[in-house]
């Protein structure tokens, strides 16, 4: 079975959900996001406060930018492109990526892996501030947690591993 | 989305979603134009920064994400590329069917009407700025 078939199995098992853009563009969407249950709860609510509801809906808008297929800025290296939309975390061979919803405060990071080109599986999320600096234990633990979640969902498949950023995602600019 | 089209009070979450959506559209518009010019060797980040009196690293941050953009940022970046936006306001009920559907993955979504013809002369900015509407089957999942 292909990795995509496995993805659909996880959807049928209700361990993943496909996030559809609220306003899809003409034609088939060029990118897809599947989210874990914890991320679905973050996006769909209920939320503990109006402020958090506002923040999570802002995040939903950021995620729809991915699924609508528009041009995205990607960090060209782990510690570059501080404001980019998407960044692969160090070490690169762990293949854990972060979608960065920076504003409004608190910043949120969605960690996950690419199953195949243009298909991202968002597995865990963290508020940015408690993660501290780029080499912190918080970052490492978050990335390990995301990769562990991947391994639990897809024990027979590793995440997509490409030689070039364009192997992972289409319509990008490196910053 | 019914509360938006019906004239009811708009929930704070929906207000936030559309703010995020507009911010992302504006950022994508600028980023797309910059990428096009850069590809044609017509501009660089350093050149753009010089033209608008900013440091190159500031321009790099702005092109990465729209986090702290203001309308002034939007204007400056476009002007630095010898551009200004062309804007059109559309009514949501014109482009969206009010019917909501459940996709088979359980996420709420909308079915929109076919894309209306766009005004002549507004092509480039509008094409980049307001994404074409719809209409793919929301029920199926396809392997891209």
């Amino acid at each position: 079975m292909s990795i995509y078939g496995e993805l659909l199995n996880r959807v049928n098992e209700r361990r993943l959900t496909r996030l559809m853009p609220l306003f899809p563009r003409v034609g088939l969407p060029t990118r897809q996001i599947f989210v874990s249950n914890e991320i679905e709860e973050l996006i769909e609510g209920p939320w503990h406060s109006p402020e958090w509801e506002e923040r999570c809906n802002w995040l939903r808008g950021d995620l729809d930018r991915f699924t609508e297929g528009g041009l995205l800025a990607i960090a060209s290296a782990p510690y570059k492109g501080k404001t980019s939309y998407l960044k692969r975390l160090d070490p690169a061979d762990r293949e854990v990526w972060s979608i960065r919803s920076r504003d409004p405060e608190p910043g949120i990071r969605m960690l996950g892996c690419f199953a195949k080109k243009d298909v991202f599986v968002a597995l865990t999320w963290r508020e940015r501030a408690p993660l501290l600096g780029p080499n912190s234990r918080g970052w490492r633990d978050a990335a390990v947690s995301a990769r562990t979640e991947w391994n639990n969902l897809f024990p027979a498949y590793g995440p997509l591993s490409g030689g070039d950023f364009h192997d992972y995602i289409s319509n990008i600019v490196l910053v | 989305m019914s509360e938006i089209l019906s004239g009811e009070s708009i929930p704070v979450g929906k207000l936030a979603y559309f703010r995020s959506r507009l911010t992302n559209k504006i950022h994508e518009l600028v980023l797309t134009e910059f990428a096009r010019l850069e590809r044609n060797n017509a501009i660089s980040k350093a050149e753009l920064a010089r033209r608008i009196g900013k440091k190159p690293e500031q321009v790099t941050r702005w092109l990465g994400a729209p986090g702290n953009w203001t309308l002034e940022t939007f204007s400056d970046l476009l002007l630095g590329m010898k551009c200004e936006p062309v804007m059109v306001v559309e009514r949501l009920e014109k482009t969206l069917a009010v019917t909501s559907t459940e996709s088979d993955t359980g996420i709420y979504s909308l079915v929109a009407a076919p894309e209306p013809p766009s005004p002549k002369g507004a092509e480039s900015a509008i094409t980049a700025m307001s994404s074409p509407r719809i209409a793919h089957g929301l029920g199926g999942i396809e392997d891209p």
Side-chain angles (χ1 to χ4, degrees):
Chain A
M1 179 176 286
S2 69
I3 179 64
Y4 203 80
E6 283 291 319
L7 260 176
L8 299 189
N9 284 342
R10 299 299 89 79
V11 171
N12 288 334
E13 295 160 7
R14 298 191 177 279
R15 296 170 71 188
L16 291 175
T17 302
R18 182 175 171 193
L19 189 68
M20 301 293 293
L22 290 180
F23 297 92
R25 297 189 180 189
V26 171
L28 295 174
T30 56
R31 304 190 196 110
Q32 300 178 10
I33 291 184
F34 291 81
V35 298
S36 63
N37 293 336
E38 74 170 78
I39 291 176
E40 186 185 4
E41 285 174 20
L42 182 71
I43 295 166
E44 295 290 299
W47 302 278
H48 57 70
S49 69
E51 291 77 20
W52 193 234
E53 177 182 358
E54 187 175 348
R55 182 63 189 88
C56 291
N57 275 276
W58 196 285
L59 168 68
R60 175 63 197 266
D62 288 337
L63 294 177
D64 279 6
R65 182 167 178 180
F66 184 99
T67 49
E68 287 179 3
L71 186 65
L72 298 176
I74 308 292
S76 57
Y79 304 109
K80 287 189 71 180
K82 288 185 175 180
T83 60
S84 62
Y85 180 91
L86 187 64
K87 176 181 278 196
R88 183 167 58 183
L89 301 181
D90 195 28
D93 61 5
R94 192 180 279 143
E95 297 295 352
V96 174
W97 294 67
S98 171
I99 292 180
R100 316 166 83 226
S101 181
R102 302 179 74 242
D103 292 282
E105 290 287 338
I108 293 174
R109 300 293 183 265
M110 315 283 299
L111 304 185
C113 305
F114 281 91
K116 58 185 295 185
K117 184 173 183 179
D118 290 328
V119 178
F120 187 73
V121 184
L123 298 161
T124 61
W125 67 276
R126 296 285 189 278
E127 287 189 25
R128 172 61 186 89
L131 292 174
L132 304 176
N135 290 310
S136 70
R137 181 174 185 156
W139 269 114
R140 191 196 65 198
D141 289 351
V144 167
S145 170
R147 182 56 199 261
T148 301
E149 187 63 24
W150 171 276
N151 293 342
N152 290 337
L153 287 166
F154 306 105
Y157 292 89
L160 177 65
S161 181
D164 183 88
F165 289 111
H166 298 277
D167 294 336
Y168 293 88
I169 184 168
S170 56
N171 201 19
I172 57 171
V173 172
L174 299 182
V175 294
Chain B
M1 295 293 166
S2 59
E3 62 271 62
I4 296 173
L5 299 183
S6 69
E8 294 170 26
S9 173
I10 301 173
V12 63
K14 287 292 180 295
L15 292 172
Y17 175 79
F18 278 89
R19 287 177 202 148
S20 172
R21 181 175 168 78
L22 179 63
T23 304
N24 276 301
K25 278 184 183 179
I26 288 173
H27 179 260
E28 187 183 340
L29 176 75
V30 172
L31 186 63
T32 299
E33 182 62 15
F34 177 80
R36 189 183 70 79
L37 294 174
E38 189 183 42
R39 201 166 43 242
N40 296 330
N41 295 317
I43 202 164
S44 65
K45 286 173 194 163
E47 172 66 5
L48 176 56
R50 185 192 63 76
R51 295 205 73 210
I52 62 176
K54 299 291 179 184
K55 293 180 178 173
E57 53 267 32
Q58 176 65 64
V59 168
T60 298
R61 282 196 291 272
W62 278 338
L63 292 174
N68 60 354
W69 280 30
T70 62
L71 288 176
E72 288 81 359
T73 313
F74 181 36
S75 176
D76 291 355
L77 287 171
L78 283 182
L79 198 61
M81 296 186 285
K82 304 175 186 174
C83 301
E84 69 170 353
V86 178
M87 300 185 202
V88 172
V89 172
E90 289 182 331
R91 298 192 62 79
L92 280 173
E93 64 262 45
K94 217 175 148 186
T95 50
L96 297 175
V98 189
T99 314
S100 66
T101 64
E102 289 283 335
S103 73
D104 61 2
T105 53
I107 289 285
Y108 173 85
S109 195
L110 287 171
V111 175
E115 183 184 13
S118 54
K120 283 186 177 176
E123 296 88 344
S124 62
I126 297 307
T127 302
M129 200 163 178
S130 64
S131 47
R133 307 303 187 286
I134 271 249
H136 68 85
L138 294 169
I141 297 181
E142 61 290 329
D143 191 346

